[in-house]
Structure formats: C-alpha cells, structure tokens
Amino acid sequence: MTTRFDLQDALFGAFLVVVAALVFYATRTLSFGSPADMGPGFMPRVLAGIALAFGLFFAARGFSRGGEPIDPPRLRPFVAVLGAIAAFALLGVKAGLAVAAVATVLVAAAGSDETRPVEVVLFAIALAAASVLLFVKALALPIPAWPW
C-alpha cells in the first residue's frame, strides 16, 4: 500500500494550527472564566481550540494518507465572505441590525454560483427577523434594530 503526501491538506492543517497558536498567545493575559461566568478570553480560546483540533486533523490526514485533496482556494467566495463581514461591521450600528443582517446575507450569497435570488432574499429576511427577535427583544442588547 502506498501513501501519498497531500500538500494542500497538510498546509491547510498547519495554517489552522498557526492561527490557533496566535489566538492562544494573543489572549494569554485575558481571564478565561467558566461557562457560567465567561471571561473575555473564554470564546476566543474555545474557538482557537476547535481550530487547533481541525488543524491537527487536516495536517495528520495530509501527512498520513492520500485521497481527495481540498479544492484550491477561489477568490470570489473569499472576497464575498470578507465583504459580508465588512458590511455587517459598517452597517450594524448606523443602519440597525435588521438592515445589517440582510446586507450580510446578500453580500455573502454573491460568493456562490449556486445561489437562487428568491431563496437568498427569503433567508435574509428570516435571519434579520430572528436576529432582531433574539438580540434586541429577547436578550435586550443595546443594538438598534432599525435605522430610525
């Protein structure tokens, strides 16, 4: 049985491990807390731990066996996700959560060739409504729901 070194999987795994290590290093002075009383370092470290686990998995898979490598990165989905994050960050406070959520979904959907406009609009409206109900109404966070 011959094994094939999968460079893409190994590099992707190494990338995730490096990102997780950087997050652990950057949050080293923040208190962790507990699930009941989360400190400022709780969520970044939990997410870094998850990224570390995925990174180790992909690195091990890349070094141990062949198989289907991950697809090479494409620019359009990458730019769409970054644009969606930017849209939410820029619109969240000024335009309100509902508008920011709709814009985020619409911009992110532009990154795929398989999106259907009607489904995207319906999902954007449903997500905006759920976000407003959860964060503004149920949790009473000081986030404007609407631009007015």
Side-chain angles (χ1 to χ4, degrees):
M1 181 175 123
T2 61
T3 59
R4 182 173 67 90
F5 178 70
D6 190 346
L7 183 62
Q8 284 183 327
D9 277 1
L11 288 176
F12 179 64
F15 170 75
L16 288 178
V17 168
V18 168
V19 168
L22 288 174
V23 171
F24 282 128
Y25 180 77
T27 61
R28 70 189 181 285
T29 60
L30 300 176
S31 64
F32 187 73
S34 67
D37 186 26
M38 295 180 194
F42 186 86
M43 280 309 293
R45 288 190 197 141
V46 167
L47 294 175
I50 293 169
L52 177 65
F54 276 113
L56 292 173
F57 168 76
F58 279 108
R61 186 173 87 167
F63 286 118
S64 67
R65 70 177 182 90
E68 294 297 319
I70 60 173
D71 292 334
R74 297 182 336 169
L75 186 60
R76 182 176 164 196
F78 181 72
V79 170
V81 169
L82 289 179
I85 294 168
F88 187 83
L90 294 172
L91 293 173
V93 175
K94 299 286 184 186
L97 182 60
V99 174
V102 168
T104 300
V105 171
L106 295 177
V107 172
S112 174
D113 297 328
E114 301 174 9
T115 56
R116 296 184 182 128
V118 173
E119 291 176 359
V120 170
V121 169
L122 291 176
F123 179 72
I125 292 169
L127 181 71
S131 297
V132 168
L133 288 174
L134 175 64
F135 295 112
V136 177
K137 301 298 181 190
L139 295 176
L141 293 179
I143 302 170
W146 307 102
W148 49 86

